[in-house]
Amino acid sequence: DTAVSQTPKYLVTQMGNDKSIKCEQNLGHDTMYWYKQDSKKFLKIMFSYNNKELIINETVPNRFSPKSPDKAHLNLHINSLELGDSAVYFCASSPWTSGGTDTQYFGPGTRLTVL
Amino acid sequence: DAKTTQPTSMDCAEGRAANLPCNHSTISGNEYVYWYRQIHSQGPQYIIHGLKNNETNEMASLIITEDRKSSTLILPHATLRDTAVYYCIVRNPYSGNTGKLIFGQGTTLQVKP
């Protein structure tokens, strides 16, 4: 049973295209995240949602728009893809315990390559 | 910016204990120390966390100094599958309820046969 799943695993596309990455968690968690890992392997948070509400937006370009249809899903839509968007994108989720967030569980990642 | 300092890389012989240090001299009283690892091409994996007492679970032990300015993650019997990048992160899980993890460069642990 996959806890946090992402689709697709690999995504190769041309500059200027629009693409989406989907994330689903079956852990019953309230909070979900998107992280970006660039070519230098630095992992950086992009967005966080709690119960479908945005709580973190780390100065990410407007071309990136997360959407949470329900608390088990957090999708990432990217408009007008640029070369610099090439990276591995990780989805994560965590429970909301005693008013705070706990251990995060990460998905397997989506490797996006923009040509 | 990450609030921790870790060695860039370490080697360990298979079957021996791997001791990974982390400095967090500016840690505040309500910040916990978390350890995650990332095996090549996989998502980060939670290992352990603690506030001030030493902690142990099925994966590892966490030793935190009395002044809380540094800690050591111990993998008691390292295997080849423990080869990964290990991240030490300090955070207050209740601060603003944001939950974000700030990853530094981590320590690349190479377990050798």
Side-chain angles (χ1 to χ4, degrees):
Chain A
D1 292 340
T2 303
V4 182
S5 59
Q6 296 179 227
T7 53
K9 187 168 175 60
Y10 300 96
L11 184 54
V12 181
T13 188
Q14 300 286 333
M15 266 198 315
N17 285 350
D18 303 337
K19 290 293 178 185
S20 292
I21 306 172
K22 295 185 177 182
C23 178
E24 177 181 2
Q25 54 95 3
N26 61 6
L27 297 167
H29 290 166
D30 298 298
T31 309
M32 296 185 71
Y33 313 81
W34 277 109
Y35 287 83
K36 179 182 179 180
Q37 188 166 39
D38 60 24
S39 57
K40 295 182 180 177
K41 303 296 185 183
F42 285 108
L43 262 166
K44 191 171 181 184
I45 190 153
M46 300 174 68
F47 299 102
S48 171
Y49 270 73
N50 178 254
N51 274 320
K52 303 193 296 175
E53 287 191 26
L54 179 67
I55 56 173
I56 297 177
N57 182 341
E58 288 287 306
T59 320
V60 177
N62 290 338
R63 299 183 295 104
F64 290 81
S65 53
K67 284 188 171 51
S68 182
D70 55 63
K71 72 175 191 178
H73 296 84
L74 181 62
N75 304 323
L76 183 64
H77 187 76
I78 314 170
N79 289 327
S80 303
L81 278 155
E82 300 177 357
L83 293 176
D85 298 333
S86 295
V88 181
Y89 292 84
F90 289 100
C91 177
S93 73
S94 69
W96 188 271
T97 56
S98 301
T101 58
D102 211 309
T103 303
Q104 293 183 23
Y105 296 81
F106 285 78
T110 295
R111 182 174 294 275
L112 171 65
T113 302
V114 182
L115 303 175
Chain B
D1 292 334
K3 297 162 67 173
T4 62
T5 305
Q6 300 176 250
T8 303
S9 63
M10 293 180 63
D11 289 343
C12 177
E14 189 179 18
R16 305 298 291 267
N19 297 292
L20 291 92
C22 179
N23 286 322
H24 31 80
S25 58
T26 61
I27 192 169
S28 61
N30 49 11
E31 287 183 318
Y32 287 65
V33 180
Y34 286 77
W35 284 84
Y36 283 76
R37 73 179 181 184
Q38 186 174 23
I39 296 170
H40 181 63
S41 296
Q42 297 181 23
Q45 176 190 25
Y46 166 80
I47 302 173
I48 198 167
H49 74 284
L51 182 62
K52 53 184 177 181
N53 296 325
N54 297 337
E55 301 288 344
T56 295
N57 63 19
E58 64 279 3
M59 289 182 70
S61 295
L62 175 60
I63 308 298
I64 303 174
T65 57
E66 194 168 339
D67 63 7
R68 302 211 320 125
K69 293 184 177 182
S70 65
S71 60
T72 301
L73 178 74
I74 301 172
L75 307 177
H77 305 286
T79 71
L80 298 178
R81 287 179 294 181
D82 292 321
T83 292
V85 180
Y86 287 77
Y87 297 98
C88 170
I89 300 167
V90 295
R91 63 180 280 255
N92 178 354
Y94 305 100
S95 174
N97 297 332
T98 62
K100 70 178 179 182
L101 295 174
I102 300 176
F103 289 85
Q105 69 175 18
T107 296
T108 299
L109 175 68
Q110 181 75 46
V111 180
K112 298 187 173 181

